Amino acid sequence: MFNLPAGALALLLTSMASACLAAPAGPGPAPAAGFGCATPHQRLDQHGFVPIGGIEQWVTVKGDDCANPIILFVHGGPGNPLSPYSDALYGAWSKQFTLVHWDQRGAGMTYGRNKPSEATPLSIAQLRDDGLEVAAWLGQRYGQRKVILWGSSWGSILAVHMALQRPALFYAYLGTAQVVGYRANQAVSYPKLRQLVHEAGDVPALAILDGVGAPPWTDPRSFGKVRKIIRRYEAKVTTAAPAAWWTPAPLYATAQAQADYEGGEDYAFLQFVGLRGDGMFSTVDLPSLGTQFAIPVFFVEGAQDLLATPDVAQRYFDSIEAPAKAIVVLPRAGHDPNQDVIDAQYKMLAEKILPLIER
């Protein structure tokens, strides 16, 4: 699913037809050797490529104190890393946490370093294993037993797979815009959106929805068409995020970095939906993995989310057995983050998760 500024989505949809050709690793920083804590309370601002899953993957680490708990952000998309926007969205958290962003295989800086051919597949299992390797590497490199696992949208799918596969790596899981399943989510999302569009008398949007029809879809463009309408209708009833959030940090604002970000969007989007509706998303069914978690589970959901609707997330949450769990639903939030979401996530971290961490 998508957690990216609307302009980036429009660019993705217009450039979907362009092929992602195989290419050698692009220029950029050498694999980083400077990660870690030289002193116990060192301030951290480290970034570079780390050998993960047989390729070099981009990792950034920021925080005021090396002894602080680590949050591993599992981004959405799957081609939309948060690393370019992290300072604007989450910079205030660095006083209490060490913030780690990882550009997943096929996304962002990692895509630029290892450009795959369009025919090179991505799988949830491969990305899950990459994420677990990142988590284990963080614990070893920074001398911490566990990390906090954070996932949003597509990242909420991947993070649940990670949490269930190797719970010993994590203190807790914090999910936002929680996706539950291909059929479970779309069976609710599409008719709810169509009803809103019909009630609004929005003839052009209704024509688009009726043109693509009810899911599942076999045309990869259908998901993007519906997503654009979702964004527009969520915007009517949610508090907008500051525009400044979506200005990339200088490291990510170069022509090459922007091209790599957009190339990763195209590639990962097609891997997500599939050319005939048979991409990674078609395999998602989190309840089938089991609903017993060995770690605490916390959800922050937008009441106005039309893509991963909160009623589906609530049913999944209710089915979960965990050492501790809590959910909050925000009245003025949708699928993408706004200040309400950021504040609620921080509150959950400070009040529910920090007390669980062994110092």
Side-chain angles (χ1 to χ4, degrees):
M1 317 305 236
F2 293 95
N3 276 344
L4 74 165
L9 177 62
L11 182 58
L12 180 154
L13 294 170
T14 57
S15 59
M16 256 181 57
S18 62
C20 301
L21 301 177
F35 286 97
C37 302
T39 59
H41 296 284
Q42 173 185 339
R43 184 179 178 88
L44 297 169
D45 187 358
Q46 301 169 347
H47 58 262
F49 291 101
V50 177
I52 297 291
I55 63 172
E56 294 173 2
Q57 302 200 32
W58 182 255
V59 176
T60 70
V61 181
K62 286 192 175 185
D64 288 358
D65 188 327
C66 208
N68 282 341
I70 294 170
I71 302 174
L72 173 58
F73 290 82
V74 184
H75 67 71
N80 301 124
L82 286 167
S83 47
Y85 314 108
S86 175
D87 290 347
L89 275 75
Y90 304 106
W93 295 10
S94 63
K95 294 179 181 179
Q96 284 189 275
F97 301 95
T98 295
L99 313 178
V100 176
H101 288 274
W102 153 56
D103 288 15
Q104 297 164 24
R105 184 185 298 261
M109 301 287 270
T110 300
Y111 171 87
R113 192 72 162 183
N114 314 271
K115 288 190 174 70
S117 72
E118 189 178 297
T120 302
L122 283 177
S123 72
I124 293 175
Q126 182 182 51
L127 291 164
R128 175 203 66 199
D129 290 348
D130 285 349
L132 292 172
E133 191 172 340
V134 173
W137 173 84
L138 287 168
Q140 294 164 3
R141 185 57 68 101
Y142 291 91
Q144 299 202 22
R145 292 184 57 248
K146 302 178 184 181
V147 303
I148 300 164
L149 181 62
W150 180 105
S152 180
S153 192
W154 156 259
S156 74
I157 299 169
L158 193 54
V160 166
H161 278 262
M162 292 166 61
L164 292 172
Q165 185 74 13
R166 289 191 65 187
L169 291 173
F170 307 110
Y171 284 114
Y173 166 55
L174 174 57
T176 300
Q178 181 68 51
V179 182
V180 175
Y182 175 67
R183 296 189 181 279
N185 283 109
Q186 295 205 55
V188 174
S189 175
Y190 178 87
K192 184 173 183 178
L193 177 64
R194 192 186 182 286
Q195 180 180 354
L196 289 173
V197 170
H198 176 73
E199 291 173 352
D202 188 343
V203 174
L206 192 61
I208 292 171
L209 292 178
D210 288 344
V212 302
W217 299 304
T218 56
D219 183 343
R221 294 170 180 81
S222 296
F223 186 95
K225 291 177 181 178
V226 173
R227 183 70 177 104
K228 289 178 72 174
I229 297 172
I230 285 175
R231 281 187 177 278
R232 186 155 56 83
Y233 274 77
E234 286 187 1
K236 297 172 183 285
V237 289
T238 59
T239 303
W245 279 9
W246 306 118
T247 299
L251 180 62
Y252 304 91
T254 67
Q256 184 62 58
Q258 290 288 290
D260 289 340
Y261 195 100
E262 292 157 12
E265 282 184 324
D266 288 348
Y267 167 73
F269 176 76
L270 288 175
Q271 294 292 318
F272 174 72
V273 297
L275 289 173
R276 290 171 291 278
D278 53 356
M280 291 187 290
F281 188 35
S282 69
T283 70
V284 174
D285 180 7
L286 296 187
S288 71
L289 302 176
T291 54
Q292 290 190 320
F293 284 72
I295 61 174
V297 174
F298 305 101
F299 287 177
V300 173
E301 302 296 321
Q304 310 303 331
D305 191 335
L306 293 171
L307 186 59
T309 58
D311 51 343
V312 177
Q314 181 73 60
R315 287 196 295 271
Y316 178 53
F317 175 84
D318 291 343
S319 74
I320 288 173
E321 295 181 26
K325 66 177 188 176
I327 184 171
V328 60
V329 180
L330 307 172
R332 292 285 300 175
H335 191 75
D336 296 326
N338 64 10
Q339 191 62 56
D340 293 348
V341 171
I342 301 298
D343 291 345
Q345 289 172 339
Y346 185 79
K347 183 179 175 67
M348 198 75 84
L349 285 161
E351 296 183 359
K352 301 290 187 181
I353 297 178
L354 270 181
L356 303 171
I357 293 175
E358 305 124 3
R359 295 283 187 163

